[in-house]
Amino acid sequence: MTMVYLLLTVTAVVSIGVATVVVLVRRQRRRMGSSSEAQGIEAAVTSGIRDARRQAHAYQYFNDGGAVSAVRDRDSRS
């Protein structure tokens, strides 16, 4: 009975490993075939997301009037 559990465990671990490799290989193959136009679009989207994240952070930081963030910073240290 112990041998059955061992075989099931090994099968599960190998299956997870194979699934991970398959996903990574597919992802790598998709990225290799991209044209220069696709790479430009990806770069623009990435920078757009980065800028939106910065803008959201700045908006949150500057619009709370300083009082809320001061209290939050004070309370987070304790």
Side-chain angles (χ1 to χ4, degrees), residues 61-77:
Y61 180 76
F62 287 114
N63 282 332
D64 67 358
V68 174
S69 64
V71 170
R72 185 175 49 233
D73 290 343
R74 183 197 69 201
D75 292 342
S76 68
R77 291 184 194 138

Side-chain angles (χ1 to χ4, degrees), residues 2-74:
T2 307
M3 191 63 139
V4 173
Y5 289 130
L6 178 65
L7 287 174
L8 287 175
T9 304
V10 169
T11 304
V13 169
V14 169
S15 300
I16 292 170
V18 168
T20 304
V21 170
V22 167
V23 167
L24 292 175
V25 167
R26 282 186 186 170
R27 194 175 290 172
Q28 184 64 26
R29 283 186 183 167
R30 263 190 276 154
R31 294 189 73 92
M32 286 174 52
S34 61
S35 65
S36 61
E37 181 183 2
Q39 289 174 350
I41 291 170
E42 185 178 352
V45 168
T46 302
S47 66
I49 290 171
R50 192 177 305 122
D51 291 341
R53 203 178 279 157
R54 282 187 192 139
Q55 187 176 8
H57 182 265
Y59 181 77
Q60 180 183 6
Y61 180 76
F62 287 114
N63 282 332
D64 67 358
V68 174
S69 64
V71 170
R72 185 175 49 233
D73 290 343
R74 183 197 69 201

